[in-house]
Amino acid sequence: MVIDGVEMREIRVADAAGVAEALERNRAYMAPYEPWRAGDFYTEAVQRARIEELLADREAGRARPFVLVAAGESGGGVGAVVGAINLVSVVRGALCSGAIGYWVDQGWAGKGLATAALHELCRIARDEMGLHRVSAGTRVGNLASQRVLAKAGFEQYGLAPRYLHVGGDWQDHRLFQRLLHDDPPAP
């Protein structure tokens, strides 16, 4: 899928360098919303290992990881990684659900990219994976991400006190969900 010159596609191991570069470039921007990361988190080697884990989870039916890549400046080449969106922790059976996490490069924030990517991932979760529900959480003060979730059809359903350790302290998070359909789970 292409959104205003940005391609949303399944992540590949070859994306490790681009993901590491994008995370380093956005390190300060995302710090208020992300758990503390060791310095090597921002290296190609660590990102390669993370991508390999995500791809193993995809093969096992537990995840669908995607990367957002801007079109190259010349010759139609591939440009910079400008975000990622992942469906993880997929559970089948009576729950039939998964959790979504996403981030967008500071230079692309506020342009509707995250909202469009969320809509597409929800379509995939419903039509290709048959999931009933997807969820996401944000820090209480992350109003921009809460607006993105609302625009993508998510509704707040709860508050999780001291949910995630961010910025040196346990932070409260707002919990959101989007119901995708009401069909019974596949046998």
Side-chain angles (χ1 to χ4, degrees):
M1 178 182 86
V2 177
I3 309 158
D4 292 332
V6 175
E7 180 185 13
M8 177 180 156
R9 63 165 169 75
E10 292 207 39
I11 201 164
R12 305 172 189 143
V13 173
D15 293 318
V19 170
E21 181 182 315
L23 289 170
E24 179 61 42
R25 184 175 62 244
N26 288 279
R27 191 175 188 169
Y29 171 65
M30 295 192 311
Y33 310 107
E34 291 288 316
W36 177 86
R37 311 282 193 193
D40 67 345
F41 177 81
Y42 302 92
T43 65
E44 181 178 351
V46 169
Q47 292 309 310
R48 178 176 286 110
R50 288 184 70 235
I51 292 169
E52 288 170 350
E53 287 177 21
L54 282 168
L55 294 176
D57 283 347
R58 181 187 70 195
E59 291 304 312
R62 294 186 301 262
R64 288 293 296 272
F66 294 86
V67 67
L68 304 171
V69 180
E73 294 297 316
S74 61
V78 174
V81 171
V82 297
I85 185 166
N86 301 310
L87 175 61
V88 297
S89 303
V90 172
V91 176
R92 299 293 179 172
L95 186 58
C96 207
S97 171
I100 293 178
Y102 59 92
W103 62 270
V104 172
D105 186 283
Q106 183 175 11
W108 288 84
K111 298 180 180 181
L113 183 58
T115 302
L118 275 166
H119 277 297
E120 177 62 8
L121 190 55
C122 287
R123 184 201 63 75
I124 290 166
R126 181 192 65 229
D127 297 346
E128 296 178 21
M129 301 178 73
L131 296 183
H132 163 70
R133 174 186 174 276
V134 290
S135 63
T138 72
R139 277 190 63 184
V140 169
N142 191 348
L143 301 180
S145 193
Q146 292 166 27
R147 283 191 299 272
V148 166
L149 289 165
K151 288 179 191 175
F154 284 72
E155 60 186 356
Q156 183 179 330
Y157 71 93
L159 177 70
R162 298 177 301 283
Y163 183 72
L164 194 62
H165 199 265
V166 177
D169 203 2
W170 291 100
Q171 302 292 330
D172 297 348
H173 278 62
R174 296 190 188 283
L175 304 177
F176 294 82
Q177 70 177 2
R178 180 170 162 185
L179 300 179
L180 304 173
H181 66 77
D182 285 330
D183 297 337

